[in-house]
């Protein structure tokens, strides 16, 4: 009975993908969009967010509090102050500075609270496809592989994802060629806890009834 109850509590929403920003915005409503600031900053030696303050030793600039939007923390699988594995860069067909990671290094976005939608612009700097992993409130996760079109710079492909519940706590992105890169990352407002669909309460009600 406890196993049934745990499964009901951990049930994640269904992910719906979108290939245009207009369709994504129509579906999810208001979002926060992160453009990663006006300047390059590399290397990033650790997680960064709206309160980060650090010197960008290789690019000669600084990342100051307020440069990034509140609501998300950005990191990567591998980070080091001695190598440019995780950066805010400006090259590779992106018209403005963007977030990237190299060497089979996943980009990770951890939200301040659960969100129902997230989307971003990218291009073939990541290769012909990328794998995105969604982590949910209940501790579960799911992966999707998305193909990237061979668009000419400075055009970018948009990829948006909406969960049927407000339950996405973080995502990780890894390109098929080992590079991870995106810009204009948009996410819905963060919540204190997952908001579930009425249909998701059916197994929960059944489990409680059995108890």
């Amino acid at each position: 009975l406890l196993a049934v109850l745990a499964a009901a509590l951990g049930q994640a929403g269904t992910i719906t993908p979108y290939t245009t920003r207009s369709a994504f915005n129509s579906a999810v409503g208001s979002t926060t969009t992160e453009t990663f600031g006006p300047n390059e900053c590399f290397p990033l030696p650790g997680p960064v967010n709206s309160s980060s303050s650090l010197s960008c030793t290789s690019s000669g600039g600084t990342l100051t509090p307020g440069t990034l939007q509140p609501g998300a923390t950005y990191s990567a699988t591998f980070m080091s102050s001695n190598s440019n594995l995780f950066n805010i860069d400006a090259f590779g067909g992106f018209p403005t500075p963007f977030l990237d990671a190299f060497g089979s290094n996943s980009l990770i976005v951890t939200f301040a609270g659960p969100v129902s939608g997230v989307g971003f612009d990218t291009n073939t700097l990541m290769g012909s496809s990328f794998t995105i992993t969604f982590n949910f409130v209940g501790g579960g996760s799911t992966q999707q592989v998305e193909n990237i079109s061979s668009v000419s710079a400075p055009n970018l492909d948009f990829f948006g994802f909406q969960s049927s519940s407000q339950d996405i706590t973080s995502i990780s992105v890894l390109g098929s060629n080992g590079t991870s890169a995106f810009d204009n990352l948009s996410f819905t407002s963060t919540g204190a806890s997952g908001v579930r669909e009425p249909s998701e309460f059916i197994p929960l009600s059944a489990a409680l009834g059995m108890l």
Side-chain angles (χ1 to χ4, degrees), residues 42 44 76 84-91 94 98-102 105 107 125 179-182:
F42 56 88
L44 298 175
N84 295 333
L85 291 174
F86 173 47
N87 316 282
I88 296 175
D89 263 320
F91 74 101
F94 285 83
F98 64 98
L99 195 69
D100 65 27
F102 298 95
N105 197 3
L107 284 176
L125 183 62
T179 298
S180 306
F182 53 69

Side-chain angles (χ1 to χ4, degrees), residues 3-18:
V4 173
L5 179 60
L9 289 171
Q11 187 176 5
T14 302
I15 298 294
T16 301
Y18 297 89

Side-chain angles (χ1 to χ4, degrees), residues 46-47 74-79 85-86 100-101 105-108:
Y74 304 92
S75 59
T77 311
F78 313 115
M79 293 172 283
L85 291 174
F86 173 47
D100 65 27
N105 197 3
S106 295
L107 284 176
I108 301 166

Side-chain angles (χ1 to χ4, degrees), residues 25-108:
N25 289 340
S26 255
V28 304
S30 177
T31 60
T32 296
T33 298
E34 180 56 71
T35 61
F36 300 105
N39 304 308
E40 295 176 280
C41 186
F42 56 88
L44 298 175
V48 292
N49 55 33
S50 61
S51 62
S52 294
S53 177
L54 59 92
S55 295
C56 311
T57 54
S58 294
S59 59
T62 57
L63 185 68
T64 58
T67 300
L68 300 177
Q69 297 285 328
T73 296
Y74 304 92
S75 59
T77 311
F78 313 115
M79 293 172 283
S80 170
S81 59
N82 300 316
S83 60
N84 295 333
L85 291 174
F86 173 47
N87 316 282
I88 296 175
D89 263 320
F91 74 101
F94 285 83
T96 59
F98 64 98
L99 195 69
D100 65 27
F102 298 95
S104 297
N105 197 3
S106 295
L107 284 176
I108 301 166

Side-chain angles (χ1 to χ4, degrees), residues 150-163:
S150 297
V151 294
S152 300
N155 296 321
L156 301 172
D157 275 356
F158 174 78
F159 294 89
F161 307 91
Q162 181 186 28
S163 171

Side-chain angles (χ1 to χ4, degrees), residues 101-129:
F102 298 95
S104 297
N105 197 3
S106 295
L107 284 176
I108 301 166
V109 183
T110 304
F111 301 106
V115 303
S116 60
V118 58
F120 51 79
D121 297 322
T122 191
N123 66 11
T124 52
L125 183 62
M126 285 210 286
S128 60
S129 66

